[in-house]
Amino acid sequence: MNNWSGFYKKTRDERLNVIKEANILDNEHFDLLNNNKILDFETANNMVENVVGTFSLPFSVVPNFVVDKKSYLVPMVTEEPSVVAACSNAGKIVERCGGFSTTIHDRKMIGHIALYDINDVEATCNLILDNKELLLKTANEAYPSIVKRGGGACDLEVKVLTEDNTSFVVAYLIVDTLEAMGANMLNTMLEAVKISLESLTGGVALMAILSNYATRSLVSSRCEIPFSNLGDNGEYLAKRIELASKFAQADTYRAATHNKGIFNGIDSIVIASGNDWRAIEASCQSWAARDGKYKGLSTWTCDLEKQVLIGELTLPMPVASVGGSIGINPSVKVVRAMLGNPDAKTLASIIVSVGLAQNLAALRALVGDGIQKGHMKLHAKSLAILAGATTDILDEVVEKLRAEKHMNLATAKEIVSTYKK
Ligand code: NDP
């Protein structure tokens, strides 16, 4: 039996011991974690341009996070206080109700080629569709290794879009990128198809590029929480969470913050997993505006008959288990090992569930006590550290700071200075 309880109160050594005893990591990955092995300069210097160093962020874990009946130790990389605690808290509530269950709707990427200077756009669309098989063959010949692995270009769609008296014929290439996110894969295929399309249609290609609006990579996560699991006033709280969900559909001002809360969790695990978090943000933020209005991404409803609160979150989640910098960064290797080296679909399921957990924690606090109660405690800690409080005096400084009327850096510095006399 592993001792995860009170994990947050343990020292780093104690936390590492719990992880070791749980046999989650083999010796190689445990040593990387234990030695806090991070990206070395030489590797970093080969990854991007003008490198002058490496940059660190806190690396935390959330234990007992249950997705599709499997318990995970979820890695999170974030600088924001309270994100990890909130995910842990909500994860625990959902774990007691059977965990999150997920559905992968599809796992394909879309890229497009925009053509202009076309006389008869309708006829051009038909011409492109008539040559679909040939164009797919061109795409696959441009990147044969993905076809050998069992993936590749599988469909092509066409649309006419008009903006300010300019018409574009846009060809959308749909590709099964298997375990990769597929940006480079698609871009290579699209450039080859672009040349064929120009000679086929006589139009001029404006660009050929992957789209981050990954509507063919949707993943849903769901949880059902009996009202009684939300505390003494569970039904009241559940109804208010349902109202908060409606409010985030109605008001874009609220939707932006509602979704930011979801991304507190999602970005933390996406960054930890070595995936391109800008791509995931772009995907999901555009999905939030799919009806022409930016809305909250999750929904919460009460089933009064069953006395349960039902949470649902569907997002495009084209994360990868290979490619990009995933195999390069030692911290990412540890993260992947921690999660049991998940394939792309499993990783996506865990990530969307983390988003739903993060949203539950935020809404529960917001419609309950408000978020400042928990936040201010963590804020006090950040202020104390900023003011120079060392570990030996940190807890005392935080306690004194919280008792002050004005909790700010100046007050924190004053308190810290009393220890230096
Ligand atoms: P890669 O270019 O790294 O391609 C994936 C690699 O994984 C290929 O070399 C492929 O090998 C290998 N691979 C091994 N096993 C598998 C498998 N089972 N399934 C699929 N591939 C496998 O990465 P992506 O094409 O995925 O592109 C992602 C990168 O592109 C990220 O770093 C991202 O930041 C960046 N990017 C993102 C853009 C955007 O989001 N708009 C734009 C441009 C770049 P093989 O070649 O032998 O098939």
Side-chain angles (χ1 to χ4, degrees), residues 47-63:
M47 286 168 75
V48 298
E49 311 77 35
N50 297 359
V51 179
V52 291
T54 51
F55 184 99
S56 299
L57 285 171
F59 173 10
S60 308
V61 291
V62 169

Side-chain angles (χ1 to χ4, degrees), residues 364-391:
R364 188 167 175 250
L366 266 177
V367 304
D369 288 339
I371 62 160
Q372 281 315 80
K373 196 174 158 194
H375 256 255
M376 291 318 273
K377 190 172 167 192
L378 292 157
H379 182 52
K381 196 170 174 185
S382 301
L383 284 175
I385 294 167
L386 264 183
T390 41
T391 311

Side-chain angles (χ1 to χ4, degrees), residues 143 145 149 177-185 212 276 322-324:
Y143 210 103
S145 55
R149 292 181 194 279
T177 59
L178 299 176
E179 288 298 306
M181 186 268 232
N184 293 318
M185 230 171 251
N212 286 106
D276 181 338
V322 295

Side-chain angles (χ1 to χ4, degrees), residues 77-315:
V77 168
T78 182
E79 88 298 347
E80 185 173 344
S82 88
V83 168
V84 176
C87 183
S88 187
N89 193 280
K92 222 175 271 170
I93 293 174
V94 178
E95 182 235 335
R96 289 184 195 126
C97 320
F100 296 92
S101 51
T102 70
T103 309
I104 306 282
H105 300 279
D106 203 352
R107 177 62 174 75
K108 308 231 169 33
M109 293 304 284
I110 305 168
H112 48 185
I113 300 152
L115 300 162
Y116 65 100
D117 270 357
I118 287 177
N119 293 330
D120 187 340
V121 290
E122 289 308 323
T124 301
C125 286
N126 290 332
L127 183 65
I128 293 173
L129 289 176
D130 288 345
N131 285 277
K132 186 167 152 173
E133 290 311 317
L134 195 66
L135 293 164
L136 290 178
K137 191 165 174 273
T138 305
N140 283 326
E141 280 172 2
Y143 210 103
S145 55
I146 194 68
V147 183
K148 258 189 227 146
R149 292 181 194 279
C154 52
D155 204 359
L156 188 109
E157 293 170 1
V158 199
K159 225 190 247 177
V160 178
L161 297 170
T162 303
E163 183 74 23
D164 199 18
N165 293 324
T166 301
S167 287
F168 298 100
V169 169
V170 188
Y172 296 86
L173 183 72
I174 294 143
V175 182
D176 184 348
T177 59
L178 299 176
E179 288 298 306
M181 186 268 232
N184 293 318
M185 230 171 251
L186 261 106
N187 291 342
T188 305
M189 289 184 176
L190 290 162
E191 299 222 334
V193 175
K194 178 179 94 169
I195 298 166
S196 304
L197 278 178
E198 281 187 316
S199 53
L200 182 70
T201 64
V204 184
L206 180 65
M207 63 176 76
I209 187 82
L210 170 98
S211 167
N212 286 106
Y213 190 31
T215 53
R216 299 284 291 259
S217 289
L218 293 177
V219 178
S220 298
S221 179
R222 188 177 193 280
C223 61
E224 267 193 32
I225 307 164
F227 293 159
S228 53
N229 286 48
L230 289 169
D232 292 341
N233 55 353
E235 180 164 353
Y236 173 73
L237 211 55
K239 285 178 176 165
R240 282 170 63 82
I241 290 174
E242 183 182 54
L243 282 173
S245 158
K246 285 185 186 167
F247 181 38
Q249 297 296 308
D251 183 7
T252 298
Y253 282 91
R254 173 57 205 152
T257 314
H258 181 97
N259 293 344
K260 192 274 180 183
I262 291 173
F263 280 88
N264 277 339
I266 288 185
D267 284 346
S268 302
I269 175 167
V270 172
I271 292 170
S273 73
N275 273 277
D276 181 338
W277 71 95
R278 288 86 54 208
I280 297 304
E281 281 276 356
S283 252
C284 298
Q285 301 297 350
S286 43
W287 179 247
R290 65 192 177 280
D291 299 339
K293 175 184 167 186
Y294 185 92
K295 289 181 180 174
L297 285 161
S298 62
T299 54
W300 294 89
T301 47
C302 289
D303 184 330
L304 294 177
E305 208 171 296
K306 284 169 70 185
Q307 291 279 293
V308 292
L309 174 69
I310 301 161
E312 286 173 301
L313 177 62
T314 296
L315 292 177

Side-chain angles (χ1 to χ4, degrees), residues 299-421:
T299 54
W300 294 89
T301 47
C302 289
D303 184 330
L304 294 177
E305 208 171 296
K306 284 169 70 185
Q307 291 279 293
V308 292
L309 174 69
I310 301 161
E312 286 173 301
L313 177 62
T314 296
L315 292 177
M317 195 47 66
V319 283
S321 69
V322 295
S325 69
I326 290 170
I328 299 171
N329 191 326
S331 306
V332 172
K333 285 185 193 163
V334 173
V335 160
R336 288 201 41 78
M338 223 171 230
L339 290 169
N341 289 310
D343 60 16
K345 290 177 180 172
T346 307
L347 179 62
S349 297
I350 300 167
I351 292 172
V352 178
S353 303
V354 165
L356 190 56
Q358 208 72 44
N359 186 230
L360 171 64
L363 294 184
R364 188 167 175 250
L366 266 177
V367 304
D369 288 339
I371 62 160
Q372 281 315 80
K373 196 174 158 194
H375 256 255
M376 291 318 273
K377 190 172 167 192
L378 292 157
H379 182 52
K381 196 170 174 185
S382 301
L383 284 175
I385 294 167
L386 264 183
T390 41
T391 311
D392 51 326
I393 59 166
L394 188 60
D395 286 346
E396 271 184 41
V397 173
V398 168
E399 211 171 296
K400 286 181 183 168
L401 187 56
R402 292 189 70 207
E404 291 286 337
K405 194 169 166 206
H406 297 294
M407 208 177 82
N408 54 29
L409 186 57
T411 317
K413 280 184 176 165
E414 261 173 46
I415 297 170
V416 171
S417 71
T418 62
Y419 287 85
K420 291 185 178 155
K421 280 172 192 160

